[in-house]
Amino acid sequence: MAGSGGLGGGAGDLQGAGPGPGQGTALRAPRAPLAFVALLLGAYCLFALPGRCPPVARTLAPVPAPAEPPHASRRLGAPGLPVASGPGRRRFPQALIVGVKKGGTRALLEFLRLHPDVRALGSEPHFFDRGLMPRTLDGQITMEKTPSYFVTQEAPRRIHSMSPDTKLIVVVRNPVTRAISDYAQTLSKTPGLPSFRALAFRHGLGPVDTAWSAVRIGLYAQHLDNWLRYFPLSHFLFVSGERLVTDPAGEVGRVQDFLGLKRVVTDKHFYFNATKGFPCLKKAQGSGRPRCLGKSKGRPHPRVPEAVVQRLQAFYRPFNHKFYQMTGQDFGWD
């Protein structure tokens, strides 16, 4: 999995027991490093030697959390909300946004973070880490977003071994549009990149090159088939990236229902920014201005010849139809 690390441990809370009475500073200091080493060894055993770990490596009973750097509370979680200190417990996520890249996962996460009962990292950790998870109160949900999970072969098994009850959210988008958006993002960082057409097809307009990640990610049916080996379909919610733009309140409402949350985030929280072509969040009480996603969201796409678009649409069509059948949803991409 991207970023290495492990998806190990139990789904319990992450708050370790404090030192017992009578323990001095000299005795307390080494406990956090030892606990962290134990966590790493347990995670390594779970993912490098599946099926052969001792029970302690699989359960990862709560241990004292590692010492945290100063001001960690300002770097994690929602702006202005302390997560490294104060009330609450660290827990492994009960819900994950597992994909897909350039589908609208960042937008969905930011919209959900308006909900008082959702705590989530703003970054993409790519692995579950006790020191990174924000603190939550009883009744709150811990979430994480890492879009690469959906297309990573090992991710379903690893996540299932952590907690088979995890709720999984997949934001999907027309795979052709998604591929072009993916290319646009890469092109912004690598100006000398070959053309979209040269990367998408072998030998001009020959066979589609599914080895290129921008194309391969859009094979949603294949990726979902891998996940369904470990999780039932009822554990998934599939969010339309297109409707997340045209009707953000409606899609976020579906997510809140799926998570068992009251519909707190509604249409009153959104307005459409015509310049970006994307919904933004209205200013919150006490805030000076509305909040839109970063400049990379709504980035102009490079012009792709119509013949290339049509070839890709024809290529994806059978995969799209299978995905519609698997999910019971017609996303209208054809």
Side-chain angles (χ1 to χ4, degrees):
M1 185 129 35
S4 71
L7 300 177
D13 66 78
L14 305 184
Q15 182 163 346
Q23 290 179 304
T25 304
L27 293 178
R28 290 199 304 266
R31 295 182 65 189
L34 288 175
F36 187 61
V37 170
L39 174 63
L40 291 179
L41 289 175
Y44 173 81
C45 180
L46 182 60
F47 307 129
L49 304 170
R52 288 181 283 173
C53 297
V56 66
R58 292 183 176 277
T59 57
L60 284 180
V63 295
E68 290 154 348
H71 311 302
S73 63
R74 297 187 180 277
R75 292 201 303 272
L76 304 178
L81 293 176
V83 298
S85 61
R89 297 171 291 178
R90 289 198 182 91
R91 315 167 195 258
F92 284 112
Q94 295 95 50
L96 299 173
I97 301 176
V98 297
V100 298
K101 179 185 179 185
K102 307 308 294 180
T105 59
R106 166 57 57 185
L108 178 60
L109 183 70
E110 291 302 315
F111 297 162
L112 285 174
R113 290 174 77 190
L114 293 174
H115 200 293
D117 291 335
V118 172
R119 298 305 313 278
L121 287 174
S123 59
E124 297 172 6
H126 294 272
F127 62 94
F128 301 120
D129 182 283
R130 295 181 179 223
L132 288 178
M133 288 300 111
R135 290 180 182 269
T136 56
L137 302 173
D138 290 341
Q140 290 184 317
I141 290 178
T142 305
M143 293 193 66
E144 180 211 319
K145 172 189 85 77
T146 300
S148 64
Y149 285 163
F150 190 63
V151 300
T152 301
Q153 187 72 21
E154 301 84 5
R157 175 182 59 81
R158 292 176 177 176
I159 293 173
H160 186 271
S161 70
M162 184 274 293
S163 174
D165 297 323
T166 304
K167 293 186 176 183
L168 304 163
I169 301 170
V170 188
V171 188
V172 289
R173 181 183 183 188
N174 185 317
V176 177
T177 309
R178 197 222 64 81
I180 296 173
S181 180
D182 197 337
Y183 173 77
Q185 182 182 55
T186 307
L187 185 65
S188 69
K189 302 174 182 177
T190 313
L193 205 64
S195 69
F196 180 88
R197 170 178 172 170
L199 293 171
F201 301 97
R202 301 170 187 164
H203 317 299
L205 275 180
V208 174
D209 190 355
T210 55
W212 186 31
S213 64
V215 168
R216 188 174 64 253
I217 290 173
L219 302 174
Y220 304 142
Q222 290 188 359
H223 303 308
L224 179 58
D225 191 56
N226 182 40
W227 282 85
L228 292 178
R229 294 168 56 201
Y230 299 90
F231 292 93
L233 190 64
S234 60
H235 281 224
F236 291 85
L237 179 71
F238 301 94
V239 175
S240 166
E242 286 83 10
R243 287 196 294 271
L244 201 57
V245 173
T246 60
D247 181 20
E251 286 299 281
V252 174
R254 292 180 59 239
V255 178
Q256 291 172 97
D257 293 344
F258 176 68
L259 296 176
L261 299 171
K262 182 180 179 180
R263 286 201 177 194
V264 171
V265 184
T266 63
D267 54 3
K268 69 181 181 181
H269 290 94
F270 301 97
Y271 77 96
F272 190 80
N273 185 307
T275 302
K276 293 181 72 68
F278 207 84
C280 296
L281 300 174
K282 294 180 181 178
K283 64 179 180 180
Q285 186 175 2
S287 175
R289 58 182 179 179
R291 182 159 60 93
C292 290
L293 297 177
K295 62 181 180 180
S296 65
K297 307 304 177 183
R299 178 191 290 116
H301 288 179
R303 184 183 177 279
V304 176
E306 186 60 27
V308 171
V309 172
Q310 291 179 357
R311 280 287 309 277
L312 272 182
Q313 287 176 336
F315 166 77
Y316 278 121
R317 189 167 292 118
F319 296 100
N320 292 345
H321 288 172
K322 183 180 179 182
F323 186 65
Y324 299 166
Q325 293 172 354
M326 295 172 75
T327 62
Q329 293 178 236
D330 187 337
F331 291 89
W333 297 326
D334 303 292

